Amino acid sequence: MVNKIDLHNLIHKYYLNGLVERVKWNIKKNTLNIDFVDESAQVVGSLKAEEIGIKDVEIGFSDTTRLLKLLAILNGELDVDFISNEDIVEKMTIDDSKFNIKYSLSFIGFVPLVPKVKNYPEIDAEITLNREDIDSLLKAKGAISESDEVSIVADKNVDGDDIVNFIFGDPNTPHSNKVTFGVRANVINNFQNGIYFDSNILKNILSVNKNCGEGTIKFSSQGMLHYNFVEDNFSTTYYMTSKENV
């Protein structure tokens, strides 16, 4: 059995508001592992969920949006099982106390291969985010919703402590509206020239992990953000490239 809320939250951690539709689930010894990549290849990630409450299986999904719509009518504790035909798992069945749904699974070969992150660039800053920081970053993005740019720059606060500024707004228009939010950080190598990332992807990653309590971001001025979040039995990792590197 698996709780509907837990399953819903798990899926959203890789779905990222529709960025990732096609994935492979690998469940072994009550632990679920998922590697994923979005269609633009700006985000590569992995999710691990322990004590998942679903039997061992390897299955493919091609339409996560449809799965979430089916899950929306369910409540409480869910019984998840599978229908196979000649050793090929074709459907996922999910039951609650009122409904039974059947979801058609995808051939695993149709799921995109997820690239492995190798030769990770030198880290220039390490940032620890608490719930308040995540909420503030989401508010900053919401105030500049018309722009999909966020630049990251090293700075110091009024006490002389190292911080990293997240600057939301169009970098190519000097007179455009901008919102800056600074977070205390361990700045290893100073970087004054802003590196630009997609603020919509940043928002999607932070919004599905805001209940984790605390997360970390490792930043490289060569154009990479590496996120780590832990929440209950879930752990998620995301690698996000800068807009210049796409």
Side-chain angles (χ1 to χ4, degrees), residues 34-182:
I34 304 171
D35 294 328
F36 54 90
V37 59
D38 75 316
E39 294 296 331
S40 70
Q42 279 187 264
V43 179
V44 173
S46 62
L47 179 150
K48 181 178 180 179
E50 298 179 327
E51 304 298 326
I52 187 64
I54 303 174
K55 69 181 183 182
D56 289 4
V57 72
E58 187 175 63
I59 48 177
F61 296 81
S62 62
D63 189 351
T64 298
T65 298
R66 173 58 58 190
L67 175 61
L68 287 168
K69 287 180 178 178
L70 292 171
L71 281 175
I73 69 171
L74 304 178
N75 287 292
E77 296 299 312
L78 308 178
D79 182 29
V80 179
D81 207 346
F82 305 95
I83 299 173
S84 299
N85 182 13
E86 296 182 356
D87 297 327
I88 297 175
V89 184
E90 295 185 337
K91 292 183 183 293
M92 169 188 273
T93 66
I94 310 176
D95 300 346
D96 69 359
S97 60
K98 293 183 178 180
F99 297 100
N100 166 269
I101 66 173
K102 292 183 174 66
Y103 174 82
S104 296
L105 297 164
S106 171
F107 174 55
I108 289 176
F110 294 157
V111 175
L113 293 175
V114 179
K116 298 294 183 183
V117 178
K118 299 179 180 179
N119 302 319
Y120 188 86
E122 182 179 8
I123 300 299
D124 295 299
E126 297 178 339
I127 307 162
T128 298
L129 297 175
N130 58 33
R131 174 63 186 267
E132 184 178 354
D133 294 328
I134 294 174
D135 285 342
S136 295
L137 286 166
L138 291 173
K139 288 178 181 178
K141 165 57 185 170
I144 307 290
S145 58
E146 69 275 10
S147 171
D148 63 358
E149 303 270 4
V150 57
S151 60
I152 297 179
V153 181
D155 201 353
K156 291 185 180 294
N157 63 16
V158 294
D159 297 322
D161 299 320
D162 286 333
I163 63 172
V164 167
N165 281 331
F166 290 77
I167 306 171
F168 295 85
D170 185 353
N172 299 314
T173 307
H175 301 293
S176 67
N177 298 318
K178 292 181 175 64
V179 174
T180 299
F181 178 72

Side-chain angles (χ1 to χ4, degrees), residues 201-220:
I201 297 177
L202 173 75
K203 176 193 72 174
N204 290 336
I205 292 174
L206 294 180
S207 63
V208 299
N209 290 285
K210 63 183 180 181
N211 293 324
C212 69
E214 186 174 281
T216 61
I217 301 178
K218 295 179 180 179
F219 167 78
S220 170

